[in-house]
Amino acid sequence: MTKTFVVAEMALREIARRRGVLAILLIFPLAFYLSRRDSHAGQSIRFVCLGIGWAMSTAALFAGSAARAVEPRLRLSGYRGSHLYLGRLAALWTVGLLLSAPYYVLIRIDQEHVRYGAIGLIMLLTVAVAAPFGLALSAALPRELEGMLVLLIVVGLQMMMDPADSASRLLPFWFSREIGTYAVDHTDGGYLTRGLIHAAVCLAALLAVVAAASGYRLRQRSHLRFVARR
Amino acid sequence: MRHDTWLDALAGELRRHGVAADTAGNVLAETAAHLWESGDDPLRAFGPPQAYAATVADSVRLAPPRRAPGGPVRLEVLGISKRYGRRTVLREVNLTVRAGEVAAVVGANGSGKSTFLGICAGLVSPDRGEVRVHGALGYCPQGGGTSDFLVPDEHFLLVGAGRGMSRTEARDGGRAGAAALDWDPRGRTQARHLSGGTRQKLNLVMAGLGDPDVLLLDEPYQGFDQGSYLDFWQQVHRWRDAGKAIVVVTHLLNTRDGVDTVLDLTPREALR
């Protein structure tokens, strides 16, 4: 636990020192929100959640890429792969919650006749899914540019695809549209249930990918044997 | 500074320091190859030619051979082979390092020195062979290995926590290790703002933190000035005297002062 906590603390310190990135992360979802605020309030809520997801995935992608150089030596220093990715996830989730909080307050002030609890839930789930999504991308695509392009494609598809299309359920943030509909259009609980199930499945799958990738990359190779000191 | 100008000046300085012609030739060839491969500015990589020549001259004045310490075996490398595509980099390499011994891994650029150390550290898989480490391992990579946005003390805490050290132990241990390299790591300078040599000192201190039994050091003196270079070897000797088993990868064929074993990875066909 101490090791995971120290990794989380150091990851938070690293993120906190990237002030320019933090500022962009904070403003980025606002652009999404304002882009649809005048024409369709409900869409602006869905868009701001997507913006948070994109921003957090990007932050996780870069955090994961930056960690690649130091993680092998940390593994040799006594950390397990799980200490490293859980610590990093904890830091990213913390940043995500702090990033989402002002947008939740904004919606509380700026929007009426919506289910605020459900909107809070979307933000929570978006942050939960976005962090492992970015880390999974950084594990699969070591070069940041490639990871960014994939993120761009995913978020672009998320905006363009019809949520009723079954293929769109393969996208990691599909649940935000579904729960968003429940929150904004006051639909029945089926939307909420489907959204929750989708988020849970995505979260579990992405965590499994992150754990497997970390386990593989930082595995103890079979040729190396540690023998107790004589 | 241009490579040719710097190398000419180095050749002159090596002559001035009385370094034998064949030794000087080896040093110049290795240094030129390193500069050519890395594209580094020679002043950044090695410092002024005068200082570097003095360091080389000091290092080739071999100390009297030490008696074999005969401590328990700490590192056993057995029949390691590694190919990259069709090129065999390492063929049946063996090495045994005991407690209180320093082994130098030498060889031309591209001879597989870093690959060998990566295999010893378990970061690279060999095609054949086995490595046995008796105790804990400390590893100093040639580059990287630090977090750009963390300050040195935070690096010590991070590595120290992995080794089961308290915050105070880790910070004090790191600062003591840094002091041995004539470096004060206190302050809020993030790793990305440290000079190349100072970042390597940080790397080296991290490797030694937590009292590992085996230290694997991959050309850790890149960017060191003359004084730091000598401090580095003194630190290696202190580790050796404390019973550590140390493996140092070096591109300087004659940097063998206080070294008990030399493993030359230069391919045999290249020596003919």
Side-chain angles (χ1 to χ4, degrees), chain B residues 3-26:
Chain B
H3 289 184
D4 291 347
T5 315
W6 189 90
L7 287 167
D8 285 346
L10 178 63
E13 288 296 326
L14 288 171
R15 267 198 309 279
R16 187 176 295 152
H17 280 84
V19 175
D22 57 339
T23 304
N26 281 337

Side-chain angles (χ1 to χ4, degrees), chain B residues 138-162:
Chain B
Y139 173 64
C140 177
Q142 191 176 10
T146 57
S147 290
D148 280 353
F149 289 85
L150 295 182
V151 304
D153 274 352
E154 290 163 350
H155 283 85
F156 303 150
L157 297 185
L158 190 56
V159 172

